[in-house]
Amino acid sequence: MVRCTLLATIAFAWFGTVPFSVGEEVLFEDDFDGTLSSEWRAVGLTKDDYRIRDGGLEMRVQPGRRARDTPMLMVLLPFKTSEFVTASVELTLLDRFTEPAESAGLFLTDADSREFGGEKKNRNGHLVFLPGDVEFIGEEGEEGDPQQYAMKFWPANEVYGSLRIIVRGNYGHFQVGPSRKGKYLNFFHSALRKDEPRRGFSLSASGGPSDRDHWVRFDNFRVTRK
């Protein structure tokens, strides 16, 4: 089991700068202005679970803990995980998360389920970005021991910017940014399945209470390829 630590303070020197790059191809974007794009597909959601309001997409947090079958809005796009693809979206909580593991985020999908993503999640009463950053804390030669790694979590403050998933070389990377100072914060990365015939991205929210509604808001969804 990976040991976990919650950072009470932020080391701003850890932020990295991502240089501006030209020549990006926009695969899909939706600013949620007026109506929802017809490219979106609802999986496990009813029409009462999401709405367009004031230039944003609002989504009801689904009750209970779910994994791969979590209800979501999904868009399938023509790309492979071997390519360099970036998806980003702004996420705002309209109601404070109160339930254990209540979360919302952006995910890479196959044809019908989530594989990799980044979230804002309630963890022991703290709203954090998840997955966090994995740090090796062992001695030389102990790299193969999972007990020698700590998972660090950062407070999920809006000042850090949009949730971002970068797909490159059959790996998925979770990143947040740019911040108001133009910086990016890099988190977890993982190998991806190479042979999925259909790929896409999704927005979802789950783990909410069963006796009242919680809502989140997504703005400025965009997917590009270099």
Side-chain angles (χ1 to χ4, degrees):
M1 179 180 295
V2 177
R3 284 182 287 178
C4 301
T5 57
L6 175 67
L7 298 189
T9 59
I10 304 301
F12 283 93
W14 191 85
F15 278 89
T17 301
V18 175
F20 173 77
S21 110
V22 297
E24 290 185 338
E25 172 192 3
V26 177
L27 292 180
F28 179 79
E29 60 182 341
D30 196 342
D31 59 7
F32 307 120
D33 185 15
T35 60
L36 189 68
S37 169
S38 61
E39 297 297 316
W40 289 103
R41 179 164 65 96
V43 179
L45 296 174
T46 71
K47 290 186 177 181
D48 291 333
D49 289 325
Y50 56 93
R51 63 200 179 199
I52 300 295
R53 179 175 294 184
D54 299 329
L57 167 66
E58 296 181 356
M59 181 180 292
R60 189 195 317 272
V61 182
Q62 297 296 299
R65 300 186 185 186
R66 308 287 289 275
R68 286 174 56 85
D69 62 341
T70 297
M72 59 188 168
L73 284 177
M74 173 197 295
V75 58
L76 295 175
L77 298 170
F79 71 92
K80 299 179 180 179
T81 56
S82 58
E83 299 177 290
F84 194 156
V85 175
T86 301
S88 64
V89 71
E90 299 169 23
L91 169 61
T92 306
L93 274 59
L94 300 182
D95 299 287
R96 185 175 68 87
F97 284 175
T98 59
E99 304 305 296
E102 188 171 1
S103 65
L106 168 67
F107 298 88
L108 173 73
T109 72
D110 55 25
D112 58 10
S113 60
R114 309 183 328 189
E115 180 180 359
F116 177 86
E119 304 173 278
K120 292 184 178 182
K121 188 168 188 173
N122 181 17
R123 185 177 177 85
N124 300 324
H126 300 271
L127 186 66
V128 300
F129 293 116
L130 199 80
D133 177 44
V134 178
E135 179 184 3
F136 177 64
I137 58 174
E139 302 292 336
E140 183 177 354
E142 296 179 329
E143 289 82 1
D145 181 0
Q147 295 294 325
Q148 302 307 318
Y149 290 83
M151 181 76 79
K152 295 183 177 180
F153 299 102
W154 266 254
N157 299 330
E158 292 182 21
V159 67
Y160 299 132
S162 301
L163 303 180
R164 292 163 56 91
I165 295 176
I166 299 172
V167 176
R168 185 177 185 180
N170 297 309
Y171 273 79
H173 303 259
F174 173 39
Q175 183 184 76
V176 176
S179 69
R180 294 173 184 172
K181 295 184 178 180
K183 306 296 184 180
Y184 291 79
L185 186 61
N186 297 295
F187 290 107
F188 189 76
H189 67 275
S190 176
L192 303 172
R193 298 190 299 270
K194 299 179 182 180
D195 300 324
E196 291 294 336
R198 305 186 73 188
R199 283 292 187 182
F201 291 96
S202 69
L203 306 173
S204 69
S206 63
S210 58
D211 59 345
R212 61 193 183 280
D213 288 341
H214 284 177
W215 290 80
V216 297
R217 177 184 172 99
F218 296 98
D219 289 277
N220 301 317
F221 180 81
R222 181 178 171 93
V223 182
T224 62
R225 176 169 56 196
K226 291 184 181 179

